[in-house]
Amino acid sequence: DGVNGDIYEDGNIDDLYQKVKALLDHPAHRIEKSKNAYTTITEEWNAETAAERFIALASSILNNGKKAVFEVGVCGKVK
């Protein structure tokens, strides 16, 4: 939130409006977030990483009953 995108409260139109307005009012921040989002998608949320992490997670569960834990990205901790 705030680094490569923005999270707004579900159903809260005022919160959504404020987030969109901030993007429109601050082009430099918008450009920075868009670059960060691109990096996140290409480096963390891609098919190769998803497949590798899914296999690691499934193997971990099957072999020792424990879940593999990744800090961010696919199969990562939910904050």
Side-chain angles (χ1 to χ4, degrees):
D1 186 33
V3 175
N4 57 9
D6 292 305
I7 298 173
Y8 72 95
E9 182 183 346
D10 184 31
N12 185 336
I13 300 300
D14 292 328
D15 189 26
L16 175 60
Y17 172 82
Q18 292 300 321
K19 300 287 171 76
V20 172
K21 184 175 183 322
L23 290 172
L24 295 172
D25 290 345
H26 302 94
H29 291 237
R30 182 178 66 239
I31 291 167
E32 182 180 351
K33 283 182 188 179
S34 68
K35 289 178 181 179
N36 291 340
Y38 179 81
T39 300
T40 299
I41 291 299
T42 57
E43 294 180 8
E44 294 178 29
W45 288 91
N46 59 56
E48 183 178 346
T49 299
E52 289 172 357
R53 287 183 174 201
F54 177 75
I55 290 169
L57 174 62
S59 295
S60 180
I61 292 170
L62 289 172
N63 293 329
N64 59 23
K66 295 181 181 178
K67 296 180 183 179
V69 178
F70 300 96
E71 289 300 315
V72 296
V74 179
C75 297
K77 293 180 181 178
V78 177
K79 296 178 182 179

